[in-house]
Amino acid sequence: MIFTFPIKNNKDFLKLYKKGKFFVAKYLVLYVLSNNSNVNRLGITVSKKFGKSVKRNRIKRLIKESYRHFESQLKQGFDLVFVARSCEEMPNFSEVKKEMKYLLRKLEVFKEDI
């Protein structure tokens, strides 16, 4: 069974921004830091610059669903924070999923290369 818990505390987000590895793509930025446990923790942030609440919530749902798709293939023991980058057009699900796969592979979080 896969366990992923949410990151809710601001200090946890700040620690990841300060000490974590990160990689940037067109729509997303991924920060990764080992958390020395056997569970993953997920955080998603979207700036108000991204748009109104409907647009921000939509991108959060797309990120959560894309993460859920890859969750079983990830190594355990990482804190992951996805930051949505503001852009002109709203990305669709396949673009978010493709970019997430690229970022997770780049930061070597997959159990085996897919």
Side-chain angles (χ1 to χ4, degrees), residues 5 13 19 32 34 61 67-68 88 94 97 99 104:
F5 295 103
F13 280 99
K19 297 182 179 178
V32 176
S34 179
R61 285 195 310 273
Y67 177 81
R68 192 185 66 76
E88 294 297 315
S94 62
K97 189 173 158 186
E99 214 167 81
L104 291 169

Side-chain angles (χ1 to χ4, degrees), residues 4-25:
T4 300
F5 295 103
I7 297 175
K8 293 183 179 178
N9 294 336
N10 191 36
K11 68 179 176 100
D12 292 336
F13 280 99
L14 294 175
K15 182 177 160 188
L16 247 114
Y17 295 146
K18 198 171 187 178
K19 297 182 179 178
K21 292 193 308 185
F22 72 94
F23 205 79
V24 180

Side-chain angles (χ1 to χ4, degrees), residues 82-99:
F82 289 96
V83 179
R85 298 182 73 196
S86 57
C87 55
E88 294 297 315
E89 74 279 352
M90 182 74 167
N92 61 26
F93 177 69
S94 62
E95 290 171 329
V96 172
K97 189 173 158 186
K98 181 180 165 189
E99 214 167 81

